[in-house]
Amino acid sequence: MGSRLESNSNSVRKRIANHSFNDEDGEEYDGSNFGGFSDYFRRKKIKLQNLDADLRSQSADKPAIFKGVVAHVNGYTQPSLNDLHTLIVQHGGGFMQYLDGKTTVTHIIASNLTPKKAVEFKRYRIVKPAWIVDSVQAGKLLPWNNYRVVDEGENQKVIAFDRGQVSNQANVKTRGYRDQTNSSWYTNQLKSSQAGTPVSTPMPSSRVQSGFSRQRLPTPDDEIELLPPSHQPDIYSRDSSLLVCEREHAPESETLVTPPKTSPSIRPQQDGTDHIRPDDTIEDHHDGLSADPTPPDLTNPKAQPIRQENQSVDTRNELDIASPTKKSDLTAEEHNAILLQDPKVRKSTVVDPNFLEQYYRESRLHHLSTWKADLKSQLQALAAEKSSSQKTKQKRSPGTRRYVLHVDFDSFFAAVSLKKNPQYKEKPAVVAHGNGSGSEIASCNYPARKFGIKNGMWMKKAQELCPDLKVLPYDFPGYEEASRTFYDVILDAGGVVQSVSIDEALIDVSNICAATGGSDGRQVSEGSIYREQAKADEIAQRLRDQVKVRTDCNVSVGIGGNILLAKVALRKAKPAGQYQIKPEEILDFVGQLQVQDLPGVAWSIGSKLEEIGVKLVKDIREITKERLVQTLGPKTGEKLWDYSRGIDRTEVGEQVVRKSVSAEVNWGVRFENQEQADEFIGSLCGELQKRLLKEKVKGKQFTMKIMRRSLDAPMDPPKHLGHGKCDTFNKSLVLGVATNSRDILTKEALSILKGFGFSPGELRGIGVQMTKLEPMKSATDGSFEGSQRRLQFKVSNTEPTSIRKASKRADAADPDPIQDDPETPKKHKSGESSHVPFGAQQLNQSTPSRRPLNTLGTQFIMPTQVDPKVLAELPEDIRSKLLRQARQSSPTPASRNALKTLSRDHSPVNDAPAPFALTALPAASQLDPDILAALPPDVRAEVLAQYAASATPSSPTSRRTHADQTLLPQSPRKNRIIGIPAKKPIVAPIKRSRGPPNDEYVFDNHDIDDHDMDDLDPTFLSALPDDLRKEIIAEHLRQKLSESRLTLVQKQTAAQPLPQPLWKPPTLKIPRAPRPTFTTQKLSDTSDLRKAIREWITEFADEGPYTEDVVALGKYLGRVVKEERDLGKAVGVVKWMEWVVDDLDEGVGEVERIKWGEAVERVRRGVREAAGDRGLGSVCFD
DNA sequence: ATCCTCCCCTAC
DNA sequence: TAAGGTAGGGGAGGAT
Ligand SMILES: Nc1ccn([C@H]2C[C@H](O)[C@@H](COP(=O)(O)OP(=O)(O)OP(=O)(O)O)O2)c(=O)n1
Ligand SMILES: [Mg+2]
């Protein structure tokens, strides 16, 4: 990278110099937090204001004790979110439903806080709900300090240790839910603790000393340093136990795991691990493996971090290693390696080459989904065919009485499987893969239900309910066969059919009934109504009889005037019966149901309803529609309002277009190293490609979903090879051109995965999804052609002429992006490639021309956009950087504009006029040297840096100027990721779980996203014990790092609250301790620092570092150690720098390399000295 | 007001 | 041992 770079170097230099390492912190505060009112913020405020306006005005009499407070509620709390919201707003406070990182939230209210959450909220004051309640009661704002929730949770060893006293009793996980639900208990705890030293708020001093961190300091820090620079530090503590479950709350049925009891370890080998639950939390030894007597060799932990391939990324494990958690010191990879030593286990995991096939073959849920999709497409094709061939009287005239049948097999899987084991028909029996505690019950027969067993329940619980349970094997072919027969019968009925699932269908027989009734189905003729109803019953009876005869299985039928009624009637009809809800009984029938009996209402919505006093459906009628809408949202609120009155206007058999195709695996995911993960992802993308081809579509948006073990979850979850409690991370990107290529998808997926930087051993689930679907060209359907043509037309048309000639490379490689698919279905003629969906004969026969799914529909997507396929093929993160970079310092105006346009970043500044030419990047997965060379220097540098960062050692060096390719912008829409300077972090950080209490909890947080250090309250942070703080920071780093690729800039434009009467910027009043920052940009987050460093090094690679910059960095890091007191962070940054330097392009001269090496050493020295000043002893950077 | 994205939730 | 997939409805909140 040389010459070209230079032309640009000035600007780059300026940039860096600009923010030259100045660490002043003073300005950070005001600048970032209250810089000005962005429209966004203003709007948001306004919105909020409006929302809460009523409440406020209605509470004028109440003291505004929360004035200046802006709260956000996390998780389930004792006074519910709504109640807290009300209390706060009524008393002058502000309330934010979501954290967006920019908004100024002064406090987060939570009953319990897992480490993860602690991390997410690290920059906030986290208080218990009692703070609100007590303050209101007291009539004044009580000190929040006494209500801190530092981490209530269980685990965190960190906490445990310093918490001393409290820890034992209170702590812990088990409490999770209790905390929230049992108010009195909870409140008492709080109060008592407040009395003296706040229990929950360990004094900083004590914590700090107690040492864990202290003691551990040397070690942990050192360990951190061990990390390969490139990778992010993951978190430290892995251990903690957490329990998770917030069970108490759980609605009856589902709570799978009850904490108590024994928790038998699922797998013999592990020692007691499993159990997670209850009480051991504190102890946390649960990891099990540690105790495991197994192979000594592997067991040796940190001694040598595993990292297999150093070069590639992955070493992130180190982080784990870094944390000497109590239990086992094994890295996740080592742990998995031990686990996989058993060949049988190994065979059941993603490590097995044949995993996908085998897994999908056995996964009932996969089968259910597949069957459903097949049925849906078959039925829709059939319907389409029917309606086109014959005029069809399908349409009922408006105002007609409707008769809808909901037909469903009784305990489908169980019933079919029982055919081969009839002796258990009358005994409690279930269908499951095994009888281990974590085996899931797919279906249980009615005798089993008497014991309270339910579908989806884990064996452990089922056996507790019924020790004599008979477990039957699956018989997937049998289910298909029964279903085929079932649909044959149903289709013969003559109504409009809609499949619900393999064992369930809706039939609208209104026309048949009306014909029988003799009237037009509209008049209120008692006789005709009666005849219609009788006809419906008769049809139902006939269906039941036929299915029974032909399959020897019972089906039940619910009949009603709409889908809702048919559905609820079905419940009463079961088992082996039928029930018709007559018009006159609708209100009574529906009214006495529990809200959860309504379709679409389960735990979450049910809970919200319960909060507003609604338990039964009739209770809903007492609630105004406005309130329902306010509580549940416009659609849901109105729908339930209707449902409670027996109203449902949904029609049977509406045609729908598929919107997405995905494949995911969240079981058996146990990698020993990164290669395995990479390979598996390739397989998964292959699977996705297969499905895309089957549907004859390509997609433009790719989304990856990753589940990673929660830091506080045990290595071995209660369920064998299950994912256990996890954090989920999703990332999506828009491809420039639709694809279905496994290779491209794999490349993107790997890029994303690397971006997250997770230790492969911590992965528990991986999914890939394509959306923004477009039909493939090969489709036989005429309409495809139209669409295609249209698209093509656009392409050639819209494209500036320049594109055609300029992009010779692109043309050569792929003359017709649309047409040339990496793979096209082997046979398109038949509706489905090689796959033969099961289905009723009629379905398989009478639909010669049907397509697997309707892919036509909309998706067509902006005709206007033509894609720069080349650019599109770059990994998204690279693309995004390019765009951003271009904006920041593009030397070439043209390219800048082009990029801008491309990015759809409509910065108000200059509107992107017509499409601009754009400098394209290499196509496909590899960077093409020629193209690369043609890039603006800084852009190129960024690309290379990105590649380096992702550890892809590819070093595209060749350079030669090549004609730029001009491309058009593609989507008029903007893509958040691309082009927009990181307002929001891209990564999705963890979310907290919201479901019912369960054994393991999957957390996700969508509430939190960005973490703007500027918003962090240093006071709060510093009040934490060192190790907790460290953990928090480490976690933060990990997240940041993962985000870093995409997000970088942080909100510089800080939003400022509107000066409204009730709404004052609370933050202003909060005293904050300055925190060292780097650069005029006030960088502080590790990811930002890394990025800045990478840019710096990359840009000045050929020039060598400037001393003042090096000194500034060293100085800053020294402050990080001394003031921020985060040696780990400083070390991590140094390692990063070292890594980047080591990875400098080969083109960099030896002299410069040396200079850079010296720079690293100099920075190191700064950190060492600072550490020494703090009495931390020598620092190890390796 | 309406669109879009990124989730959560639900169902089987 | 165990096979915890998958698609669509919809809410929140930002962008336009
Ligand atoms: N959590 C679940 C729920 C259902 N199924 C499968 C097995 C069921 O047999 C089939 C149909 O689901 P139903 O909800 O119709 O349940 P059943 O048919 O078993 O019982 P019933 O319809 O009598 O309530 O789907 C599953 O594997 N896991
Ligand atoms: Mg059923």
Side-chain angles (χ1 to χ4, degrees):
Chain A
M1 23 202 91
S3 53
R4 282 230 180 202
L5 192 62
E6 290 199 6
S7 64
N8 195 20
S9 65
N10 282 335
S11 65
V12 173
R13 180 153 217 301
K14 196 171 294 175
R15 192 170 57 207
I16 291 190
N18 214 343
H19 12 128
S20 67
F21 314 105
N22 57 9
D23 42 15
E24 65 288 20
D25 14 50
E27 66 169 22
E28 112 183 355
Y29 189 53
D30 60 5
S32 58
N33 289 305
F34 300 92
F37 301 168
S38 64
D39 272 359
Y40 137 80
F41 199 98
R42 172 180 288 104
R43 259 174 273 138
K44 184 166 200 170
K45 272 319 192 212
I46 290 171
K47 212 177 224 174
L48 181 56
Q49 193 78 16
N50 288 339
L51 263 173
D52 295 336
D54 288 353
L55 264 181
R56 280 207 186 95
S57 61
Q58 291 169 16
S59 318
D61 53 315
K62 299 190 166 73
I65 57 183
F66 298 123
K67 193 168 182 184
V69 168
V70 182
H72 164 77
V73 172
N74 170 62
Y76 291 96
T77 51
Q78 183 351 252
S80 71
L81 180 152
N82 272 336
D83 291 347
L84 288 170
H85 178 171
T86 302
L87 283 176
I88 293 166
V89 174
Q90 285 182 330
H91 294 83
F95 188 90
M96 297 301 294
Q97 287 280 354
Y98 292 87
L99 291 181
D100 60 6
K102 305 170 135 179
T103 309
T104 311
V105 166
T106 62
H107 298 77
I108 284 179
I109 300 171
S111 288
N112 159 19
L113 198 58
T114 61
K116 180 153 287 216
K117 289 174 185 163
V119 171
E120 301 169 4
F121 302 147
K122 66 178 186 224
R123 64 175 105 98
Y124 299 92
R125 296 165 191 75
I126 306 164
V127 301
K128 299 192 175 196
W131 178 54
I132 300 299
V133 177
D134 293 355
S135 290
V136 168
Q137 217 158 41
K140 64 175 183 179
L141 188 65
L142 299 175
W144 72 275
N145 252 3
N146 292 339
Y147 293 85
R148 285 189 181 187
V149 179
V150 169
D151 140 31
E152 282 265 72
E154 42 239 50
N155 41 341
Q156 312 223 344
K157 24 177 134 250
V158 177
I159 287 186
F161 73 86
D162 48 349
R163 174 182 249 125
Q165 22 159 341
V166 181
S167 63
N168 288 325
Q169 35 171 331
N171 122 19
V172 181
K173 12 196 80 283
T174 322
R175 163 178 183 204
Y177 248 67
R178 179 176 282 132
D179 244 1
Q180 318 180 344
T181 49
N182 179 335
S183 69
S184 61
W185 175 87
Y186 162 70
T187 303
N188 290 336
Q189 279 295 100
L190 267 184
K191 296 197 163 155
S192 62
S193 65
Q194 281 175 228
T197 305
V199 173
S200 55
T201 322
M203 294 282 83
S205 60
S206 70
R207 288 188 149 212
V208 173
Q209 327 183 2
S210 18
F212 183 169
S213 56
R214 243 32 240 180
Q215 309 173 347
R216 173 185 170 195
L217 244 192
T219 328
D221 282 333
D222 291 345
E223 294 180 353
I224 285 185
E225 307 166 13
L226 289 182
L227 304 186
S230 61
H231 303 325
Q232 30 267 354
D234 241 349
I235 323 151
Y236 291 35
S237 53
R238 41 172 69 307
D239 80 317
S240 17
S241 43
L242 139 49
L243 290 196
V244 173
C245 334
E246 334 212 342
R247 21 185 150 277
E248 305 222 291
H249 220 14
E252 44 206 288
S253 59
E254 307 303 5
T255 317
L256 297 186
V257 170
T258 312
K261 312 212 141 218
T262 41
S263 37
S265 43
I266 301 182
R267 84 186 57 220
Q269 8 176 319
Q270 349 190 119
D271 51 330
T273 336
D274 57 309
H275 36 333
I276 332 182
R277 335 0 53 254
D279 326 2
D280 58 313
T281 324
I282 296 188
E283 307 292 337
D284 80 346
H285 46 347
H286 55 307
D287 193 308
L289 270 191
S290 49
D292 190 74
T294 13
D297 38 357
L298 289 178
T299 354
N300 165 8
K302 31 175 96 182
Q304 58 256 60
I306 312 185
R307 78 191 43 257
Q308 17 262 14
E309 30 177 2
N310 304 328
Q311 53 165 334
S312 57
V313 185
D314 259 319
T315 17
R316 338 146 188 237
N317 332 340
E318 324 263 60
L319 282 187
D320 301 285
I321 294 176
S323 58
T325 11
K326 0 189 126 220
K327 9 180 113 235
S328 100
D329 292 333
L330 293 177
T331 60
E333 293 73 25
E334 288 166 336
H335 182 97
N336 290 346
I338 292 172
L339 186 66
L340 300 188
Q341 279 186 330
D342 179 340
K344 288 181 185 164
V345 170
R346 176 169 273 267
K347 197 85 174 48
S348 300
T349 69
V350 285
V351 164
D352 186 275
N354 209 26
F355 178 80
L356 275 185
E357 183 190 331
Q358 186 172 296
Y359 178 65
Y360 280 135
R361 196 195 323 136
E362 306 295 340
S363 169
R364 79 196 200 270
L365 293 175
H366 164 72
H367 283 299
L368 285 174
S369 294
T370 304
W371 288 327
K372 178 170 185 169
D374 284 344
L375 285 165
K376 193 161 142 195
S377 80
Q378 290 172 32
L379 282 169
Q380 291 197 14
L382 190 59
E385 190 176 86
K386 217 180 248 174
S387 65
S388 64
S389 63
Q390 49 187 278
K391 290 300 173 143
T392 305
K393 39 165 179 193
Q394 298 292 18
K395 301 292 193 225
R396 286 174 305 99
S397 33
T400 307
R401 283 183 292 274
R402 286 207 285 163
Y403 293 89
V404 176
L405 310 191
H406 191 144
V407 194
D408 180 324
F409 274 99
D410 294 335
S411 55
F412 187 55
F413 285 14
V416 174
S417 287
L418 276 168
K419 290 203 286 182
K420 293 187 175 174
N421 307 275
Q423 67 272 37
Y424 302 114
K425 254 184 182 160
E426 306 307 323
K427 317 181 91 169
V430 301
V431 171
H433 278 301
N435 47 23
S437 66
S439 183
E440 273 180 55
I441 289 168
S443 177
C444 53
N445 63 2
Y446 281 79
R449 293 183 196 203
K450 283 194 242 163
F451 291 84
I453 293 170
K454 300 189 176 169
N455 290 356
M457 185 177 279
W458 279 5
M459 196 59 71
K460 178 174 194 276
K461 175 152 186 188
Q463 288 179 330
E464 284 168 4
L465 294 170
C466 175
D468 281 329
L469 204 54
K470 176 61 191 173
V471 178
L472 305 171
Y474 283 88
D475 176 12
F476 293 116
Y479 308 147
E480 292 187 2
E481 184 51 40
S483 181
R484 250 189 291 275
T485 302
F486 172 81
Y487 276 98
D488 272 342
V489 171
I490 286 188
L491 287 167
D492 276 341
V496 177
V497 178
Q498 176 180 326
S499 72
V500 173
S501 76
I502 189 174
D503 86 320
E504 194 171 341
L506 291 168
I507 316 174
D508 185 325
V509 295
S510 305
N511 289 329
I512 299 172
C513 294
T516 303
S519 73
D520 61 1
R522 232 184 284 194
Q523 300 174 335
V524 186
S525 151
E526 199 131 332
S528 58
I529 289 178
Y530 176 82
R531 284 190 296 276
E532 289 168 8
Q533 295 174 344
K535 181 61 179 176
D537 281 334
E538 177 195 324
I539 293 170
Q541 183 67 56
R542 192 173 65 231
L543 289 173
R544 291 173 49 217
D545 291 344
Q546 289 182 8
V547 173
K548 175 67 178 177
V549 169
R550 296 176 57 181
T551 69
D552 192 27
C553 290
N554 290 315
V555 291
S556 296
V557 182
I559 308 168
N562 57 45
I563 294 175
L564 166 72
L565 296 172
K567 171 88 176 168
V568 298
L570 175 63
R571 183 180 314 283
K572 187 178 178 86
K574 279 179 177 288
Q578 64 185 63
Y579 185 79
Q580 177 170 190
I581 294 179
K582 308 287 174 61
E584 62 273 17
E585 67 179 316
I586 292 176
L587 289 181
D588 286 341
F589 189 97
V590 169
Q592 46 106 40
L593 295 172
Q594 301 222 317
V595 292
Q596 310 220 352
D597 290 333
L598 295 175
V601 177
W603 193 83
S604 178
I605 292 172
S607 296
K608 287 178 184 170
L609 287 171
E610 200 169 335
E611 269 178 25
I612 58 174
V614 173
K615 193 94 170 94
L616 299 181
V617 172
K618 66 182 175 203
D619 298 333
I620 295 176
R621 299 183 204 138
E622 306 304 313
I623 308 285
T624 64
K625 190 185 282 193
E626 290 63 41
R627 181 115 151 92
L628 276 177
V629 166
Q630 181 199 322
T631 305
L632 307 171
K635 294 289 197 68
T636 308
E638 181 155 16
K639 185 177 72 175
L640 290 187
W641 191 90
D642 283 346
Y643 278 5
S644 70
R645 291 159 177 79
I647 300 167
D648 178 7
R649 302 176 186 82
T650 312
E651 291 288 325
V652 173
E654 288 181 343
Q655 296 273 320
V656 299
V657 175
R658 174 180 278 256
K659 295 169 182 157
S660 69
V661 177
S662 66
E664 59 191 273
V665 174
N666 299 308
W667 185 87
V669 180
R670 293 293 188 285
F671 298 114
E672 295 167 300
N673 56 53
Q674 189 66 37
E675 285 75 26
Q676 291 173 348
D678 290 354
E679 174 159 358
F680 177 68
I681 283 173
S683 305
L684 198 58
C685 288
E687 176 67 27
L688 181 56
Q689 168 183 299
K690 194 169 101 189
R691 297 181 189 185
L692 287 165
L693 289 173
K694 176 183 163 193
E695 299 299 336
K696 291 187 171 64
V697 293
K698 295 163 84 173
K700 278 180 95 166
Q701 182 166 50
F702 177 72
T703 301
M704 184 160 194
K705 185 188 119 180
I706 295 172
M707 291 179 84
R708 191 203 58 188
R709 180 181 69 90
S710 277
L711 299 182
D712 48 21
M715 291 293 266
D716 291 303
K719 183 185 182 72
H720 179 57
L721 295 180
H723 54 62
K725 182 185 173 221
C726 284
D727 291 324
T728 67
F729 300 81
N730 302 322
K731 178 163 168 25
S732 70
L733 53 84
V734 175
L735 301 169
V737 68
T739 187
N740 57 10
S741 160
R742 166 193 162 134
D743 292 341
I744 291 174
L745 298 179
T746 300
K747 176 176 56 87
E748 297 290 356
L750 291 178
S751 171
I752 290 171
L753 180 64
K754 288 181 177 169
F756 279 118
F758 299 139
S759 181
E762 301 284 11
L763 298 177
R764 291 290 181 274
I766 295 175
V768 289
Q769 175 185 58
M770 288 300 289
T771 48
K772 292 189 187 334
L773 304 180
E774 297 177 5
M776 278 174 52
K777 82 161 194 186
S778 57
T780 54
D781 187 304
S783 53
F784 277 134
E785 295 239 284
S787 301
Q788 261 191 351
R789 197 166 293 155
R790 206 163 120 214
L791 182 55
Q792 290 197 23
F793 174 76
K794 280 295 188 187
V795 171
S796 54
N797 223 1
T798 320
E799 281 178 334
T801 55
S802 62
I803 185 174
R804 286 243 160 250
K805 57 186 176 191
S807 61
K808 66 175 71 170
R809 180 181 183 285
D811 285 341
D814 184 11
D816 178 355
I818 289 154
Q819 295 207 331
D820 127 355
D821 285 283
E823 353 237 326
T824 45
K826 315 291 180 182
K827 20 180 149 190
H828 6 104
K829 244 327 184 353
S830 75
E832 38 258 312
S833 352
S834 53
H835 167 85
V836 180
F838 77 97
Q841 280 190 13
Q842 303 173 49
L843 290 176
N844 283 327
Q845 304 177 327
S846 55
T847 55
S849 64
R850 74 177 182 282
R851 299 182 309 284
L853 266 198
N854 350 329
T855 47
L856 298 194
T858 64
Q859 306 308 355
F860 237 4
I861 330 245
M862 8 222 106
T864 57
Q865 24 190 343
V866 175
D867 314 344
K869 63 179 173 196
V870 176
L871 175 65
E873 298 201 335
L874 282 173
E876 193 282 336
D877 51 15
I878 290 179
R879 211 162 41 233
S880 114
K881 286 218 167 185
L882 282 173
L883 297 170
R884 193 180 310 125
Q885 188 81 10
R887 277 226 253 97
Q888 296 177 342
S889 64
S890 172
T892 317
S895 92
R896 180 192 303 150
N897 285 333
L899 287 169
K900 188 164 202 158
T901 301
L902 209 203
S903 70
R904 291 81 131 188
D905 177 354
H906 346 314
S907 64
V909 186
N910 58 32
D911 304 89
F916 270 92
L918 137 68
T919 301
L921 284 180
S925 316
Q926 299 81 30
L927 285 175
D928 179 297
D930 291 348
I931 303 286
L932 192 66
L935 292 173
D938 62 339
V939 172
R940 183 178 59 242
E942 187 60 23
V943 172
L944 295 177
Q946 188 61 50
Y947 269 67
S950 55
T952 303
S954 64
S955 61
T957 23
S958 89
R959 75 199 38 231
R960 173 185 77 108
T961 305
H962 188 313
D964 288 355
Q965 300 178 16
T966 359
L967 299 172
L968 278 186
Q970 59 179 342
S971 166
R973 311 207 236 91
K974 64 160 178 240
N975 166 348
R976 243 193 220 162
I977 293 165
I978 293 184
I980 289 172
K983 288 186 125 152
K984 188 163 205 169
I986 263 188
V987 166
I990 326 173
K991 321 198 142 233
R992 66 181 150 117
S993 101
R994 300 171 182 247
N998 198 326
D999 266 5
E1000 17 193 54
Y1001 236 14
V1002 175
F1003 284 59
D1004 312 48
N1005 81 18
H1006 72 303
D1007 320 45
I1008 310 159
D1009 310 353
D1010 192 10
H1011 312 284
D1012 181 342
M1013 286 305 218
D1014 291 344
D1015 286 345
L1016 174 56
D1017 178 357
T1019 304
F1020 173 67
L1021 191 62
S1022 60
L1024 297 174
D1026 267 13
D1027 11 303
L1028 174 55
R1029 187 164 44 70
K1030 219 165 186 352
E1031 274 194 30
I1032 286 175
I1033 289 171
E1035 167 62 29
H1036 181 72
L1037 292 186
R1038 189 190 52 61
Q1039 280 189 18
K1040 267 316 193 182
L1041 200 171
S1042 57
E1043 299 167 7
S1044 72
R1045 253 162 258 293
L1046 309 159
T1047 309
L1048 281 190
V1049 178
Q1050 288 306 326
K1051 27 293 303 329
Q1052 313 215 327
T1053 42
Q1056 194 171 50
L1058 274 181
Q1060 296 189 1
L1062 292 171
W1063 202 276
K1064 216 175 170 183
T1067 335
L1068 285 177
K1069 322 177 152 186
I1070 301 163
R1072 310 178 72 167
R1075 165 196 173 112
T1077 57
F1078 183 57
T1079 269
T1080 53
Q1081 312 231 318
K1082 300 171 306 190
L1083 301 180
S1084 175
D1085 280 6
T1086 296
S1087 60
D1088 292 342
L1089 291 171
R1090 290 186 178 198
K1091 170 159 198 204
I1093 287 169
R1094 184 158 49 68
E1095 287 177 348
W1096 171 47
I1097 294 172
T1098 305
E1099 302 300 339
F1100 290 87
D1102 295 340
E1103 208 172 337
Y1106 281 64
T1107 306
E1108 62 264 37
D1109 289 344
V1110 177
V1111 170
L1113 177 58
K1115 211 162 147 192
Y1116 163 70
L1117 292 179
R1119 295 187 63 184
V1120 168
V1121 175
K1122 295 204 271 190
E1123 297 172 26
E1124 201 173 325
R1125 301 176 73 80
D1126 190 346
L1127 177 58
K1129 172 178 174 180
V1131 169
V1133 171
V1134 174
K1135 300 230 67 155
W1136 168 263
M1137 178 182 177
E1138 187 179 4
W1139 183 81
V1140 174
V1141 167
D1142 285 344
D1143 211 57
L1144 278 174
D1145 189 288
E1146 297 166 34
V1148 176
E1150 204 45 38
V1151 177
E1152 282 69 38
R1153 277 178 185 290
I1154 292 173
K1155 283 186 188 168
W1156 279 109
E1158 289 170 350
V1160 171
E1161 186 45 43
R1162 190 151 187 163
V1163 173
R1164 258 195 207 127
R1165 202 188 314 145
V1167 172
R1168 273 204 202 92
E1169 286 171 4
D1173 290 349
R1174 262 186 73 194
L1176 299 178
S1178 64
V1179 179
C1180 173
F1181 288 90
D1182 311 309

